[in-house]
Amino acid sequence: MSNNPNFPQNLDIQPSSPDFVEDFGVKPYLDGSQYDQLSQKLAISKYGIAGRVWEAAYALNIYLNPPHRLSFEPPFCHKRDLCILELGSGSGMIGINLALSLQNPHYSLILTDLPEVCPLLENNVEEAKDAMLYSRIKVVPLAWGSGVHACNLIEVTGDRPLSHILCSDLIYFPELLAPLLRTLIQLSSPPFATSELEILISYKIRSLSKETPFWSAFGLWFTFEPVLFSEKSPDGTQTSWERFGSAFEGPIFIFVARRRPESLTWSAPQNDGQLLAGFGAHGSMQPKADEQFETLLFMSMVET
């Protein structure tokens, strides 16, 4: 892997197509010439992986901006005082479209990514051509695992705790799993958040053997549940509940996660390997793993 995670060796990716969600009967995004295939191609050439809209982002966008005929459980909670932070925002499609759809004037949104990706985010906020966005959205550099970058967020949030953290298609490179988990642990702790914080994760399975270590460690610090959906038929009847994303290629999951209250007294080890191996969880420096993710996968296979 190169020094820049957005330009790994032999990078060869193409713009994504939202066809699979359009077949689902919904728009892939509310505003978005800057996310079409031509714009993605240009962004990929300049920003690498960060310039592409990854598949799980389309699913999360539906969850955050649902059409009237879809119901979700648990639903995205439109609290009065929303303070939302997105990790690894990339092109900003998720956060910007959420901001455009919110009817709540009492929100703030923080889009974050590596410093070299922030110009892409700033450009796409400007391209949205919505004056309200300029005052509500902040673009802030945040490298995963960087305590300095995380602490700098205090200057942006002040004494306002985060209500939500958005994570869209972030679980891929093994080298980034521990830094991502470390950042989630830090941002879900005081002074950044309270027990009311929700973490929304959209995830497409690509390589289970490489990705499972993240979930085994993540589940030690957080509880999480998959989002279910039900659809209203033309005759007004409601379909039975099923996991959202199961029909998409991957498959795709959307999880709602919350910090385990008892974990607030634990100390995360500085060593990345130890963090992924479960050291520090349950207050002990012994390896351990959580089985929530494996259980969910097994249940998904039984359902199909």
Side-chain angles (χ1 to χ4, degrees):
M1 185 173 176
S2 68
N3 292 331
N4 187 340
N6 284 311
F7 285 95
Q9 288 184 344
N10 304 315
L11 176 65
D12 183 18
I13 58 174
Q14 300 300 318
S16 64
S17 169
D19 290 348
F20 73 101
V21 291
E22 290 178 334
D23 292 342
F24 203 67
V26 296
K27 293 182 178 180
Y29 30 69
L30 303 179
D31 175 77
S33 61
Q34 64 266 46
Y35 313 118
D36 63 21
Q37 291 201 329
L38 176 58
S39 296
Q40 285 188 60
K41 185 175 182 179
L42 294 173
I44 289 169
S45 67
K46 188 171 183 180
Y47 298 100
I49 286 174
R52 187 179 192 268
V53 178
W54 294 88
E55 286 76 10
Y58 296 115
L60 183 57
N61 194 55
I62 295 173
Y63 175 65
L64 296 173
N65 308 285
H68 293 301
R69 61 184 178 81
L70 293 184
S71 298
F72 289 107
E73 181 59 40
F76 173 59
C77 182
H78 288 256
K79 302 175 183 177
R80 174 175 172 79
D81 193 24
L82 290 172
C83 184
I84 304 168
L85 181 141
E86 183 179 11
L87 292 175
S89 300
S91 64
M93 190 270 280
I94 292 293
I96 292 172
N97 279 277
L98 174 59
L100 290 170
S101 70
L102 286 174
Q103 302 299 315
N104 182 351
H106 305 284
Y107 80 87
S108 64
L109 178 63
I110 306 165
L111 303 180
T112 72
D113 213 304
L114 293 172
E116 57 267 28
V117 179
C118 287
L120 173 62
L121 286 168
E122 292 165 346
N123 178 73
N124 285 348
V125 171
E126 184 175 346
E127 285 292 318
K129 295 181 173 60
D130 187 302
M132 181 66 73
L133 296 188
Y134 299 130
S135 61
R136 297 294 185 184
I137 294 183
K138 305 295 183 185
V139 175
V140 179
L142 177 57
W144 303 341
S146 171
V148 173
H149 280 182
C151 289
N152 289 342
L153 286 173
I154 295 295
E155 299 178 10
V156 180
T157 60
D159 58 358
R160 193 176 188 183
L162 297 174
S163 61
H164 298 81
I165 296 176
L166 309 180
C167 304
S168 178
D169 240 332
L170 303 185
I171 301 159
Y172 44 93
F173 289 139
E175 296 87 348
L176 298 178
L177 299 183
L180 173 60
L181 177 57
R182 192 178 305 282
T183 291
L184 287 171
I185 291 172
Q186 183 169 13
L187 295 183
S188 59
S189 305
F192 299 100
T194 69
S195 60
E196 296 185 3
L197 171 73
E198 291 186 349
I199 301 175
L200 309 182
I201 303 176
S202 63
Y203 163 62
K204 178 180 178 178
I205 294 177
R206 292 185 171 85
S207 176
L208 271 177
S209 61
K210 295 179 180 179
E211 297 155 2
T212 298
F214 172 84
W215 295 110
S216 297
F218 179 79
L220 295 169
W221 298 81
F222 300 86
T223 61
F224 57 98
E225 60 181 319
V227 169
L228 308 179
F229 84 103
S230 176
E231 185 173 1
K232 182 177 290 187
S233 303
D235 62 3
T237 59
Q238 202 79 18
T239 63
S240 58
W241 291 94
E242 58 183 286
R243 186 179 63 75
F244 185 59
S246 59
F248 299 151
E249 181 183 355
I252 289 174
F253 290 81
I254 295 180
F255 294 117
V256 177
R258 297 172 180 83
R259 183 72 180 267
R260 293 185 183 275
E262 66 273 20
S263 72
L264 292 172
T265 62
W266 305 343
S267 296
Q270 294 302 309
N271 180 275
D272 284 352
Q274 289 185 340
L275 180 62
L276 286 183
F279 287 74
H282 299 170
S284 74
M285 290 300 288
Q286 298 294 326
K288 57 193 75 71
D290 180 79
E291 297 181 350
Q292 290 179 87
F293 183 64
E294 286 86 347
T295 301
L296 289 170
L297 282 183
F298 177 75
M299 292 174 62
S300 297
M301 289 188 290
V302 170
E303 291 170 0
T304 56

